[in-house]
Coordinates of all heavy atoms in Angstrom, one line a residue:
M1 N 112.7 112.6 126.4 CA 111.6 111.9 126.9 C 112.0 111.1 128.1 O 113.0 110.4 128.1 CB 111.0 111.0 125.8 CG 109.8 110.2 126.2 SD 109.1 109.2 124.8 CE 107.9 108.3 125.8
V2 N 111.1 111.2 129.1 CA 111.4 110.5 130.4 C 110.8 109.2 130.4 O 109.6 109.0 129.9 CB 110.9 111.3 131.6 CG1 111.1 110.6 132.9 CG2 111.5 112.7 131.6
T3 N 111.5 108.1 130.8 CA 110.9 106.8 130.9 C 110.5 106.6 132.4 O 111.3 106.8 133.3 CB 112.0 105.7 130.5 OG1 112.4 106.0 129.2 CG2 111.4 104.3 130.6
Y4 N 109.3 106.1 132.6 CA 108.8 105.8 133.9 C 108.8 104.3 134.1 O 108.4 103.5 133.2 CB 107.4 106.4 134.1 CG 107.4 107.9 134.1 CD1 107.1 108.6 132.9 CD2 107.6 108.6 135.2 CE1 107.1 109.9 132.9 CE2 107.6 110.0 135.2 CZ 107.3 110.7 134.0 OH 107.3 112.0 134.0
F5 N 109.1 103.9 135.3 CA 109.0 102.5 135.7 C 108.1 102.3 136.9 O 108.1 103.1 137.8 CB 110.4 101.9 136.1 CG 111.4 101.9 134.9 CD1 112.3 102.9 134.7 CD2 111.5 100.8 134.1 CE1 113.2 102.9 133.7 CE2 112.3 100.7 133.0 CZ 113.2 101.8 132.8
C6 N 107.4 101.2 136.9 CA 106.6 100.8 138.0 C 107.5 100.4 139.2 O 108.4 99.7 139.0 CB 105.7 99.6 137.7 SG 104.8 98.9 139.1
L7 N 107.3 101.0 140.4 CA 108.2 100.6 141.5 C 108.0 99.2 142.1 O 108.7 98.8 142.9 CB 108.0 101.7 142.6 CG 108.6 103.0 142.4 CD1 108.2 104.0 143.5 CD2 110.1 102.9 142.3
N8 N 106.9 98.6 141.6 CA 106.6 97.3 142.1 C 107.1 96.2 141.2 O 107.8 95.3 141.7 CB 105.1 97.1 142.3 CG 104.7 95.8 143.0 OD1 105.3 95.5 144.1 ND2 103.9 95.0 142.4
C9 N 106.9 96.3 139.9 CA 107.3 95.2 139.0 C 108.4 95.7 138.0 O 109.0 94.8 137.3 CB 106.1 94.7 138.2 SG 105.4 95.9 136.9
W10 N 108.7 96.9 138.0 CA 109.8 97.5 137.2 C 109.6 97.4 135.7 O 110.5 97.5 134.9 CB 111.2 97.0 137.6 CG 111.5 97.4 139.0 CD1 111.4 96.7 140.1 CD2 111.9 98.8 139.4 NE1 111.7 97.5 141.2 CE2 112.0 98.8 140.8 CE3 112.1 99.9 138.7 CZ2 112.3 99.9 141.5 CZ3 112.5 101.1 139.4 CH2 112.6 101.0 140.8
N11 N 108.3 97.2 135.3 CA 108.0 97.3 133.8 C 107.8 98.8 133.5 O 107.5 99.6 134.4 CB 106.7 96.6 133.5 CG 106.9 95.1 133.4 OD1 107.7 94.7 132.5 ND2 106.3 94.3 134.2
K12 N 108.0 99.2 132.2 CA 107.8 100.5 131.8 C 106.3 100.9 131.9 O 105.5 100.0 131.5 CB 108.3 100.7 130.4 CG 109.8 100.8 130.3 CD 110.3 101.0 128.9 CE 111.8 100.9 128.8 NZ 112.3 101.1 127.4
V13 N 106.0 102.1 132.3 CA 104.6 102.5 132.4 C 104.5 103.9 131.8 O 105.5 104.6 131.7 CB 104.1 102.6 133.9 CG1 104.0 101.1 134.5 CG2 105.0 103.4 134.8
D14 N 103.3 104.3 131.5 CA 103.1 105.7 131.0 C 103.0 106.6 132.3 O 102.3 106.2 133.2 CB 101.7 105.7 130.3 CG 101.5 107.0 129.6 OD1 101.7 108.1 130.2 OD2 101.1 107.0 128.4
G15 N 103.7 107.7 132.2 CA 103.8 108.6 133.3 C 102.4 109.2 133.7 O 102.3 109.7 134.8
K16 N 101.5 109.1 132.8 CA 100.1 109.6 133.1 C 99.2 108.6 133.8 O 98.2 108.9 134.3 CB 99.5 110.1 131.8 CG 100.2 111.3 131.2 CD 99.5 111.8 130.0 CE 99.6 110.8 128.9 NZ 100.4 111.2 127.7
D17 N 99.6 107.3 133.8 CA 98.8 106.3 134.4 C 98.7 106.4 135.9 O 99.7 106.7 136.5 CB 99.3 104.9 134.0 CG 99.1 104.5 132.5 OD1 98.3 105.3 131.9 OD2 99.6 103.5 132.0
A18 N 97.5 106.1 136.4 CA 97.4 106.1 137.9 C 97.7 104.7 138.5 O 98.1 104.6 139.6 CB 95.9 106.4 138.3
V19 N 97.6 103.7 137.6 CA 97.8 102.3 138.1 C 98.7 101.6 137.0 O 98.5 101.8 135.8 CB 96.5 101.5 138.2 CG1 96.7 100.1 138.5 CG2 95.6 102.2 139.3
C20 N 99.6 100.8 137.5 CA 100.5 100.0 136.6 C 99.6 99.1 135.7 O 98.9 98.3 136.3 CB 101.5 99.3 137.4 SG 102.6 98.2 136.3
S21 N 99.8 99.1 134.4 CA 99.0 98.2 133.5 C 99.5 96.8 133.6 O 98.9 95.9 133.1 CB 99.1 98.7 132.1 OG 100.4 98.8 131.6
H22 N 100.7 96.5 134.2 CA 101.2 95.2 134.3 C 100.8 94.5 135.6 O 100.5 93.3 135.6 CB 102.8 95.2 134.2 CG 103.3 95.9 132.9 ND1 103.3 95.3 131.7 CD2 103.7 97.2 132.7 CE1 103.8 96.1 130.8 NE2 104.0 97.3 131.4
C23 N 100.9 95.2 136.7 CA 100.7 94.5 138.0 C 99.6 95.2 138.9 O 99.3 94.7 139.9 CB 102.0 94.4 138.8 SG 102.5 96.0 139.5
G24 N 99.1 96.3 138.5 CA 98.0 97.0 139.2 C 98.5 97.8 140.4 O 97.7 98.4 141.1
F25 N 99.8 98.0 140.5 CA 100.4 98.8 141.6 C 99.9 100.3 141.4 O 100.0 100.8 140.3 CB 101.9 98.7 141.6 CG 102.6 99.5 142.7 CD1 102.7 98.9 144.0 CD2 103.3 100.7 142.5 CE1 103.3 99.6 145.0 CE2 103.9 101.3 143.5 CZ 104.0 100.8 144.8
S26 N 99.5 100.9 142.5 CA 99.1 102.3 142.4 C 100.2 103.2 142.3 O 101.1 103.3 143.2 CB 98.3 102.7 143.7 OG 98.0 104.1 143.7
L27 N 100.3 103.9 141.1 CA 101.4 104.8 140.9 C 101.2 106.2 141.5 O 102.2 106.9 141.7 CB 101.6 105.0 139.3 CG 101.8 103.6 138.6 CD1 101.8 103.9 137.1 CD2 103.1 103.0 139.0
T28 N 100.0 106.5 141.9 CA 99.7 107.8 142.5 C 100.0 107.8 144.0 O 100.1 108.9 144.5 CB 98.3 108.2 142.2 OG1 97.4 107.2 142.7 CG2 98.0 108.4 140.7
E29 N 100.0 106.7 144.6 CA 100.2 106.6 146.0 C 101.7 106.6 146.4 O 102.0 106.6 147.6 CB 99.5 105.4 146.6 CG 98.0 105.5 146.6 CD 97.3 104.3 147.3 OE1 98.0 103.6 148.1 OE2 96.2 104.1 146.9
Y30 N 102.5 106.7 145.4 CA 104.0 106.8 145.6 C 104.4 107.8 146.7 O 105.2 107.6 147.6 CB 104.7 107.0 144.3 CG 106.2 107.2 144.4 CD1 107.0 106.1 144.5 CD2 106.8 108.4 144.4 CE1 108.3 106.2 144.6 CE2 108.1 108.6 144.5 CZ 108.9 107.5 144.6 OH 110.3 107.6 144.7
S31 N 103.8 109.0 146.6 CA 104.1 110.1 147.5 C 103.6 109.9 148.9 O 104.1 110.6 149.8 CB 103.6 111.4 146.9 OG 102.2 111.4 146.8
N32 N 102.7 108.9 149.1 CA 102.2 108.7 150.4 C 102.9 107.6 151.1 O 102.7 107.3 152.3 CB 100.7 108.2 150.3 CG 99.8 109.4 149.8 OD1 100.1 110.5 150.0 ND2 98.8 109.0 149.1
L33 N 103.9 107.0 150.4 CA 104.7 105.9 151.1 C 105.6 106.4 152.1 O 106.0 107.6 152.1 CB 105.4 105.1 150.0 CG 104.6 104.4 148.9 CD1 105.5 103.8 147.9 CD2 103.8 103.3 149.6
S34 N 106.0 105.6 153.1 CA 107.0 106.0 154.0 C 108.4 106.3 153.3 O 108.5 105.9 152.2 CB 107.2 104.9 155.1 OG 107.9 103.8 154.5
Y35 N 109.3 106.9 154.0 CA 110.6 107.3 153.4 C 111.3 106.0 152.9 O 111.9 106.0 151.9 CB 111.4 108.0 154.4 CG 112.8 108.4 153.9 CD1 112.9 109.4 153.0 CD2 113.9 107.8 154.4 CE1 114.1 109.8 152.5 CE2 115.2 108.2 154.0 CZ 115.3 109.2 153.0 OH 116.5 109.6 152.5
E36 N 111.2 104.9 153.7 CA 112.0 103.7 153.4 C 111.4 102.9 152.3 O 112.1 102.2 151.6 CB 112.1 102.9 154.7 CG 113.1 103.4 155.7 CD 113.1 102.6 157.0 OE1 113.6 101.5 157.0 OE2 112.5 103.2 158.0
K37 N 110.1 102.9 152.2 CA 109.4 102.0 151.2 C 109.9 102.2 149.8 O 110.2 101.1 149.1 CB 107.9 102.2 151.3 CG 107.1 101.2 150.5 CD 107.2 99.7 151.1 CE 106.3 98.8 150.3 NZ 106.6 97.4 150.7
P38 N 109.9 103.4 149.2 CA 110.5 103.5 147.9 C 111.9 103.0 147.7 O 112.3 102.5 146.7 CB 110.4 105.0 147.6 CG 109.3 105.5 148.5 CD 109.5 104.7 149.7
L39 N 112.7 103.2 148.8 CA 114.1 102.7 148.7 C 114.1 101.2 148.7 O 114.9 100.6 148.0 CB 114.9 103.2 149.9 CG 115.1 104.7 150.0 CD1 115.6 105.1 151.4 CD2 116.1 105.1 148.9
I40 N 113.2 100.6 149.5 CA 113.2 99.1 149.5 C 112.7 98.6 148.2 O 113.3 97.6 147.6 CB 112.3 98.6 150.7 CG1 112.9 99.0 152.0 CG2 112.0 97.2 150.6 CD1 112.0 98.8 153.2
L41 N 111.7 99.2 147.6 CA 111.3 98.8 146.2 C 112.4 99.0 145.2 O 112.5 98.2 144.3 CB 110.1 99.7 145.8 CG 108.8 99.4 146.6 CD1 107.7 100.4 146.3 CD2 108.2 98.0 146.3
S42 N 113.3 100.0 145.4 CA 114.4 100.2 144.5 C 115.4 99.2 144.5 O 116.3 99.1 143.7 CB 115.0 101.6 144.8 OG 114.1 102.6 144.5
L43 N 115.4 98.3 145.6 CA 116.4 97.2 145.6 C 116.2 96.3 144.5 O 117.1 95.5 144.1 CB 116.2 96.4 146.9 CG 116.5 97.1 148.2 CD1 116.2 96.3 149.4 CD2 118.0 97.5 148.3
H44 N 115.0 96.3 143.8 CA 114.7 95.4 142.7 C 114.8 96.2 141.3 O 114.4 95.7 140.3 CB 113.3 94.8 142.8 CG 113.2 94.0 144.1 ND1 113.8 92.8 144.3 CD2 112.6 94.3 145.3 CE1 113.6 92.3 145.5 NE2 112.8 93.2 146.1
S45 N 115.3 97.4 141.4 CA 115.4 98.2 140.1 C 116.3 97.5 139.2 O 117.4 97.0 139.5 CB 116.0 99.6 140.5 OG 116.3 100.3 139.3
P46 N 116.0 97.5 137.8 CA 116.9 97.0 136.9 C 118.1 97.9 136.6 O 119.1 97.4 136.0 CB 116.0 96.9 135.6 CG 115.0 97.9 135.8 CD 114.7 98.0 137.3
I47 N 118.1 99.1 137.2 CA 119.2 100.0 137.0 C 120.1 99.9 138.2 O 119.8 100.2 139.3 CB 118.7 101.4 136.8 CG1 117.7 101.5 135.6 CG2 119.8 102.4 136.7 CD1 116.9 102.8 135.6
M48 N 121.4 99.4 137.9 CA 122.3 99.1 139.0 C 122.5 100.4 139.9 O 122.6 100.2 141.1 CB 123.6 98.6 138.5 CG 124.6 98.1 139.5 SD 126.1 97.6 138.8 CE 127.0 97.2 140.3
N49 N 122.7 101.5 139.3 CA 122.9 102.7 140.1 C 121.8 103.0 141.1 O 122.0 103.4 142.3 CB 123.1 104.0 139.3 CG 124.5 104.1 138.8 OD1 125.4 103.4 139.2 ND2 124.8 105.1 137.9
N50 N 120.6 102.8 140.7 CA 119.4 102.9 141.6 C 119.5 101.9 142.8 O 119.3 102.3 143.9 CB 118.1 102.7 140.9 CG 117.8 103.8 139.9 OD1 118.5 104.8 139.8 ND2 116.7 103.7 139.1
R51 N 119.9 100.7 142.5 CA 120.0 99.7 143.5 C 121.1 100.1 144.5 O 120.9 100.0 145.7 CB 120.3 98.3 142.9 CG 119.2 97.7 142.1 CD 119.4 96.2 142.0 NE 120.7 95.8 141.4 CZ 121.0 95.7 140.1 NH1 120.1 95.9 139.2 NH2 122.2 95.4 139.7
M52 N 122.2 100.5 144.0 CA 123.4 100.9 144.8 C 123.0 102.1 145.8 O 123.4 102.1 146.9 CB 124.6 101.2 144.0 CG 125.2 99.9 143.4 SD 126.6 100.3 142.3 CE 127.8 100.9 143.6
I53 N 122.3 103.1 145.2 CA 122.0 104.2 146.0 C 121.0 103.8 147.1 O 121.1 104.2 148.3 CB 121.3 105.3 145.1 CG1 122.4 105.9 144.2 CG2 120.7 106.4 146.0 CD1 121.9 106.8 143.1
A54 N 120.0 103.0 146.8 CA 119.0 102.5 147.7 C 119.7 101.7 148.8 O 119.5 101.8 150.0 CB 118.0 101.6 147.1
I55 N 120.6 100.8 148.4 CA 121.4 100.0 149.4 C 122.2 100.8 150.3 O 122.2 100.6 151.6 CB 122.3 99.0 148.6 CG1 121.4 97.9 148.0 CG2 123.3 98.3 149.6 CD1 122.2 97.1 146.9
Q56 N 122.9 101.8 149.8 CA 123.7 102.7 150.6 C 122.8 103.5 151.7 O 123.2 103.5 152.8 CB 124.5 103.7 149.8 CG 125.4 104.6 150.6 CD 126.2 105.6 149.7 OE1 126.1 105.5 148.5 NE2 126.9 106.4 150.4
I57 N 121.7 104.1 151.2 CA 120.9 104.9 152.1 C 120.2 103.9 153.2 O 120.2 104.3 154.4 CB 119.8 105.6 151.3 CG1 120.5 106.7 150.4 CG2 118.8 106.3 152.3 CD1 119.6 107.4 149.4
L58 N 119.7 102.8 152.7 CA 119.1 101.9 153.7 C 120.1 101.4 154.7 O 119.8 101.2 155.9 CB 118.4 100.7 152.9 CG 117.2 101.1 152.2 CD1 116.8 100.0 151.2 CD2 116.0 101.4 153.1
G59 N 121.3 101.2 154.2 CA 122.4 100.7 155.1 C 122.7 101.8 156.2 O 122.8 101.5 157.4
E60 N 122.8 103.1 155.7 CA 123.1 104.2 156.6 C 121.9 104.4 157.6 O 122.1 104.8 158.8 CB 123.3 105.5 155.8 CG 124.6 105.5 155.1 CD 124.8 106.7 154.2 OE1 123.9 107.5 154.1 OE2 125.9 106.8 153.5
L61 N 120.7 104.1 157.2 CA 119.5 104.2 158.0 C 119.4 103.0 159.0 O 118.6 103.1 160.0 CB 118.2 104.2 157.2 CG 117.9 105.5 156.4 CD1 116.7 105.3 155.5 CD2 117.7 106.7 157.3
R62 N 120.3 102.0 158.8 CA 120.1 100.7 159.6 C 118.7 100.2 159.5 O 118.1 99.8 160.5 CB 120.6 100.9 161.0 CG 122.0 101.5 161.2 CD 123.0 100.4 160.8 NE 124.4 100.8 161.0 CZ 125.2 101.3 160.1 NH1 124.7 101.5 158.8 NH2 126.4 101.6 160.3
S63 N 118.2 100.2 158.3 CA 116.8 99.9 158.1 C 116.5 98.4 158.3 O 117.0 97.5 157.6 CB 116.4 100.2 156.6 OG 115.1 99.7 156.4
Q64 N 115.8 98.1 159.4 CA 115.4 96.7 159.7 C 114.3 96.3 158.7 O 114.3 95.1 158.3 CB 114.8 96.6 161.1 CG 115.8 97.0 162.2 CD 117.1 96.2 162.2 OE1 117.0 95.0 162.4 NE2 118.2 96.8 162.0
E65 N 113.5 97.2 158.2 CA 112.5 96.9 157.2 C 113.1 96.4 155.9 O 112.4 95.7 155.1 CB 111.6 98.1 156.9 CG 110.3 97.9 156.3 CD 109.5 99.2 156.0 OE1 109.8 100.2 156.7 OE2 108.6 99.1 155.2
A66 N 114.3 96.8 155.6 CA 115.0 96.4 154.3 C 115.6 95.0 154.4 O 116.0 94.5 153.3 CB 116.0 97.5 154.0
L67 N 115.7 94.5 155.6 CA 116.5 93.2 155.7 C 115.9 92.1 154.8 O 116.7 91.4 154.2 CB 116.5 92.8 157.1 CG 117.5 93.5 158.0 CD1 117.4 93.2 159.5 CD2 119.0 93.2 157.5
P68 N 114.6 91.9 154.7 CA 114.1 90.8 153.8 C 114.6 91.0 152.4 O 114.9 90.0 151.7 CB 112.6 90.8 154.0 CG 112.4 91.5 155.3 CD 113.5 92.4 155.5
G69 N 114.5 92.3 151.9 CA 115.0 92.6 150.5 C 116.4 92.3 150.3 O 116.9 91.8 149.3
F70 N 117.3 92.7 151.3 CA 118.7 92.4 151.2 C 119.0 90.9 151.2 O 119.8 90.4 150.5 CB 119.4 93.0 152.5 CG 119.7 94.5 152.3 CD1 118.8 95.4 151.8 CD2 120.9 95.0 152.7 CE1 119.1 96.7 151.6 CE2 121.3 96.3 152.5 CZ 120.3 97.2 152.0
K71 N 118.2 90.2 152.1 CA 118.4 88.7 152.2 C 118.1 88.1 150.8 O 118.8 87.2 150.4 CB 117.4 88.2 153.2 CG 117.6 86.8 153.6 CD 116.8 86.4 154.9 CE 117.0 85.0 155.3 NZ 116.1 84.1 154.5
E72 N 117.0 88.6 150.2 CA 116.6 88.0 148.9 C 117.7 88.3 147.8 O 118.0 87.4 147.0 CB 115.3 88.7 148.4 CG 114.8 88.1 147.1 CD 113.5 88.8 146.6 OE1 112.8 89.4 147.5 OE2 113.3 88.8 145.4
I73 N 118.3 89.5 147.8 CA 119.4 89.8 146.9 C 120.6 88.9 147.1 O 121.1 88.3 146.1 CB 119.8 91.3 147.0 CG1 118.7 92.2 146.5 CG2 121.1 91.5 146.3 CD1 118.9 93.7 146.8
I74 N 120.9 88.6 148.3 CA 122.1 87.8 148.6 C 121.8 86.3 148.2 O 122.7 85.7 147.7 CB 122.4 87.9 150.1 CG1 123.0 89.3 150.3 CG2 123.4 86.9 150.5 CD1 123.0 89.8 151.8
E75 N 120.6 85.9 148.5 CA 120.3 84.5 148.2 C 120.1 84.2 146.7 O 120.3 83.1 146.2 CB 119.0 84.1 148.9 CG 119.2 83.9 150.4 CD 117.9 83.7 151.2 OE1 116.8 83.8 150.6 OE2 118.0 83.3 152.3
T76 N 119.9 85.3 145.9 CA 119.6 85.0 144.5 C 120.7 85.6 143.6 O 120.6 85.4 142.4 CB 118.3 85.7 144.0 OG1 118.3 87.1 144.3 CG2 117.1 85.1 144.8
G77 N 121.7 86.2 144.1 CA 122.7 86.8 143.2 C 124.1 86.8 143.9 O 124.3 86.3 144.9
N78 N 125.0 87.5 143.2 CA 126.4 87.6 143.7 C 126.8 89.1 143.8 O 127.8 89.5 143.4 CB 127.4 86.9 142.8 CG 127.1 85.4 142.7 OD1 127.0 84.8 143.8 ND2 127.0 84.8 141.6
D79 N 125.9 89.8 144.5 CA 126.1 91.3 144.6 C 126.9 91.6 145.9 O 126.3 91.6 147.0 CB 124.7 91.9 144.6 CG 124.8 93.5 144.6 OD1 125.9 94.0 144.9 OD2 123.8 94.1 144.1
F80 N 128.2 91.8 145.7 CA 129.0 92.0 146.9 C 128.8 93.3 147.6 O 129.0 93.4 148.8 CB 130.5 91.8 146.5 CG 130.9 90.4 146.1 CD1 131.0 90.1 144.8 CD2 131.0 89.5 147.1 CE1 131.4 88.8 144.5 CE2 131.3 88.2 146.8 CZ 131.5 87.8 145.5
Y81 N 128.3 94.3 146.9 CA 128.0 95.6 147.5 C 126.8 95.4 148.5 O 126.8 95.8 149.6 CB 127.6 96.6 146.4 CG 127.5 98.0 146.9 CD1 128.7 98.7 147.1 CD2 126.3 98.6 147.3 CE1 128.6 100.0 147.6 CE2 126.3 99.8 147.8 CZ 127.4 100.6 147.9 OH 127.4 101.8 148.4
S82 N 125.8 94.6 148.0 CA 124.7 94.3 148.9 C 125.1 93.5 150.1 O 124.7 93.7 151.2 CB 123.6 93.5 148.2 OG 123.1 94.2 147.1
L83 N 126.0 92.6 149.8 CA 126.5 91.7 150.9 C 127.2 92.5 152.0 O 126.9 92.3 153.2 CB 127.5 90.7 150.3 CG 127.9 89.6 151.3 CD1 126.8 88.8 151.8 CD2 128.9 88.7 150.5
K84 N 128.0 93.5 151.6 CA 128.7 94.3 152.6 C 127.7 95.1 153.4 O 127.7 95.1 154.7 CB 129.6 95.3 151.9 CG 130.3 96.3 152.8 CD 131.2 97.2 152.0 CE 131.4 98.5 152.7 NZ 130.4 99.5 152.5
E85 N 126.7 95.7 152.8 CA 125.7 96.5 153.5 C 124.8 95.6 154.4 O 124.5 96.0 155.5 CB 124.8 97.3 152.5 CG 125.6 98.4 151.8 CD 126.1 99.5 152.7 OE1 125.5 99.8 153.8 OE2 127.2 100.1 152.5
F86 N 124.5 94.5 153.9 CA 123.7 93.5 154.6 C 124.4 93.1 155.9 O 123.9 93.0 157.0 CB 123.4 92.3 153.8 CG 122.6 91.2 154.5 CD1 121.3 91.4 154.8 CD2 123.3 90.1 154.9 CE1 120.6 90.4 155.5 CE2 122.6 89.1 155.6 CZ 121.2 89.3 155.9
Y87 N 125.7 92.9 155.8 CA 126.5 92.5 156.9 C 126.5 93.6 158.0 O 126.3 93.3 159.2 CB 128.0 92.2 156.5 CG 128.8 91.7 157.7 CD1 128.7 90.4 158.2 CD2 129.7 92.6 158.3 CE1 129.4 90.0 159.3 CE2 130.5 92.2 159.4 CZ 130.3 90.9 159.9 OH 131.1 90.5 160.9
V88 N 126.7 94.9 157.6 CA 126.6 96.0 158.5 C 125.3 96.1 159.2 O 125.2 96.2 160.4 CB 126.9 97.3 157.7 CG1 126.7 98.5 158.6 CG2 128.4 97.3 157.2
L89 N 124.2 95.9 158.4 CA 122.9 95.9 159.0 C 122.7 94.8 160.0 O 122.1 95.0 161.0 CB 121.8 95.8 157.9 CG 121.3 97.0 157.2 CD1 120.4 96.6 156.0 CD2 120.5 97.9 158.1
S90 N 123.2 93.7 159.7 CA 122.9 92.5 160.5 C 123.6 92.6 161.9 O 123.2 92.0 162.8 CB 123.3 91.2 159.8 OG 124.8 91.2 159.7
Q91 N 124.6 93.5 162.0 CA 125.3 93.7 163.2 C 124.3 94.2 164.3 O 124.5 93.8 165.5 CB 126.4 94.7 163.1 CG 127.5 94.2 162.1 CD 128.1 92.9 162.5 OE1 128.8 92.8 163.5 NE2 127.9 91.9 161.6
N92 N 123.3 95.0 163.9 CA 122.4 95.5 164.9 C 121.0 94.9 164.9 O 120.1 95.4 165.4 CB 122.3 97.0 164.7 CG 123.6 97.8 164.9 OD1 124.3 97.5 165.8 ND2 123.8 98.7 164.0
S93 N 121.0 93.8 164.2 CA 119.7 93.1 164.0 C 119.4 92.0 165.0 O 120.3 91.2 165.2 CB 119.5 92.6 162.6 OG 118.3 91.8 162.4
T94 N 118.2 92.0 165.5 CA 117.8 90.9 166.3 C 117.0 89.9 165.5 O 116.6 88.9 166.0 CB 117.0 91.3 167.6 OG1 115.9 92.1 167.1 CG2 117.9 92.2 168.5
V95 N 116.7 90.3 164.3 CA 115.8 89.5 163.4 C 116.6 88.5 162.7 O 116.2 87.3 162.6 CB 115.0 90.4 162.4 CG1 114.2 89.6 161.5 CG2 114.2 91.5 163.1
L96 N 117.7 88.9 162.1 CA 118.5 88.0 161.3 C 120.0 87.9 161.8 O 120.5 88.9 162.3 CB 118.6 88.4 159.8 CG 117.2 88.5 159.1 CD1 117.4 89.2 157.8 CD2 116.7 87.1 158.9
K97 N 120.5 86.8 161.7 CA 122.0 86.6 162.0 C 122.7 86.1 160.8 O 122.2 85.3 160.0 CB 122.1 85.6 163.1 CG 121.4 85.9 164.4 CD 122.1 87.1 165.1 CE 121.4 87.4 166.4 NZ 121.9 88.7 167.0
V98 N 123.9 86.7 160.6 CA 124.7 86.2 159.4 C 125.6 85.0 159.9 O 126.2 85.0 160.9 CB 125.7 87.4 159.0 CG1 126.7 86.9 158.0 CG2 124.8 88.5 158.4
K99 N 125.6 84.0 159.0 CA 126.4 82.9 159.3 C 127.9 83.2 159.1 O 128.2 83.8 158.1 CB 126.0 81.7 158.4 CG 124.7 81.1 158.7 CD 124.4 80.0 157.7 CE 123.0 79.5 157.9 NZ 122.5 78.5 156.9
Q100 N 128.7 82.9 160.0 CA 130.1 83.2 159.9 C 130.9 82.1 159.2 O 130.5 81.0 159.2 CB 130.7 83.3 161.3 CG 130.1 84.4 162.2 CD 130.4 85.8 161.7 OE1 131.4 86.1 161.1 NE2 129.5 86.8 161.9
Ligands
ZN1 ZN1 103.8 97.2 138.0

């Protein structure tokens, strides 16, 4: 049996539902999202492997859109993997600067 999670609030949902019963996020519009958006949403996944894969790909993409999500992770946790990728991203960012 496959377990489905809402990409917005990460509660378990029924795979047949069109809308998350917890937060109202549209589950059917997932395929219409930009390439980066599902990865950015995955930064909040409760599954560590999902977070790490998203962080790695967003880092390789030099995703500026992902910076607020990375910043939130760093400010609320001690995730050194995120910190490394965030540092790499910030090298090319005009939006955020890392304190030395
Ligand atoms: Zn939800």
Side-chain angles (χ1 to χ4, degrees):
M1 183 178 170
V2 178
T3 303
Y4 294 92
F5 293 93
C6 170
L7 284 172
N8 188 51
C9 70
W10 293 102
N11 280 300
K12 287 182 184 175
V13 294
D14 189 315
K16 295 182 289 248
D17 287 349
V19 174
C20 174
S21 59
H22 303 278
C23 73
F25 184 77
S26 173
L27 302 172
T28 56
E29 289 182 24
Y30 176 78
S31 58
N32 296 328
L33 296 173
S34 72
Y35 181 71
E36 285 173 73
K37 187 67 174 171
L39 292 168
I40 291 167
L41 291 170
S42 295
L43 293 176
H44 302 287
S45 168
I47 301 165
M48 187 182 177
N49 275 353
N50 290 356
R51 291 199 308 271
M52 288 179 66
I53 290 166
I55 289 164
Q56 181 179 355
I57 295 171
L58 288 166
E60 287 172 359
L61 290 172
R62 301 292 184 262
S63 171
Q64 300 298 300
E65 198 182 338
L67 282 171
F70 277 45
K71 187 169 181 278
E72 184 185 335
I73 289 171
I74 291 162
E75 287 174 348
T76 58
N78 295 311
D79 186 338
F80 291 104
Y81 193 83
S82 300
L83 187 60
K84 174 182 160 272
E85 292 297 329
F86 176 74
Y87 181 78
V88 170
L89 270 175
S90 69
Q91 298 302 295
N92 297 322
S93 174
T94 55
V95 178
L96 295 171
K97 298 290 180 193
V98 170
K99 290 179 184 172
Q100 299 290 332

